[in-house]
Amino acid sequence: MLTLIIVEDEYVIREGLRKTIDWSKYDCQLIDVAKNGEEGLNLIIEKQPNLVIADIMMPKLNGLEMIEKAKTVCDFDVIFLTSYSEFEY
C-alpha cells in the first residue's frame, strides 16, 4: 500500500481531495495533509510517504522548493496541482 501526503493551501481543494476520494480503493493510505509548503516539508521528512500531491504556488515555501528540499532527505513520487497557466514550471 502506498502512503500519501497532500500539501495544498486552498482549504476546499485540500479537504476535497481528502474526503471525496476513496484512497484505499487505489491501494493508498492518506497519512496526513498540510496547508503550506513549510508544513508540508516537515511532514514529508517526518513521515516519508511514497507519494506527495502538492500545489505549486503556496505560502511560506512553494511546492517546487518544498519538493527539492524534501528529495534531499527521502525518495517519493510527486503529483503537482496548479491552476496557473505559467508553463515554465
Side-chain angles (χ1 to χ4, degrees), residues 56-57 82-89:
I56 290 179
M57 296 303 294
T82 188
S83 61
Y84 290 92
S85 60
E86 298 174 26
F87 294 105
E88 66 268 10
Y89 289 125

Side-chain angles (χ1 to χ4, degrees), residues 7-89:
V7 187
E8 169 61 62
D9 62 317
E10 295 289 332
Y11 176 83
V12 172
I13 297 170
R14 184 176 64 246
E15 291 304 306
L17 288 169
R18 180 201 303 236
K19 294 178 179 177
T20 63
I21 297 173
D22 179 3
W23 293 105
S24 62
K25 179 179 174 181
Y26 302 102
D27 201 30
C28 290
Q29 178 187 9
L30 178 60
I31 55 175
D32 220 328
V33 297
K35 62 182 181 253
N36 62 57
E38 187 176 276
E39 194 176 290
L41 176 61
N42 292 331
L43 282 177
I44 294 166
I45 291 170
E46 175 188 341
K47 299 191 176 187
Q48 299 198 8
N50 303 111
L51 178 64
V52 174
I53 297 177
D55 191 3
I56 290 179
M57 296 303 294
M58 293 184 291
K60 298 193 179 183
L61 192 64
N62 75 44
L64 298 172
E65 295 167 329
M66 176 191 73
I67 296 301
E68 183 178 9
K69 289 180 180 193
K71 285 277 191 176
T72 65
V73 177
C74 57
D75 187 37
F76 53 91
D77 292 317
V78 181
I79 297 172
F80 280 114
L81 305 174
T82 188
S83 61
Y84 290 92
S85 60
E86 298 174 26
F87 294 105
E88 66 268 10
Y89 289 125

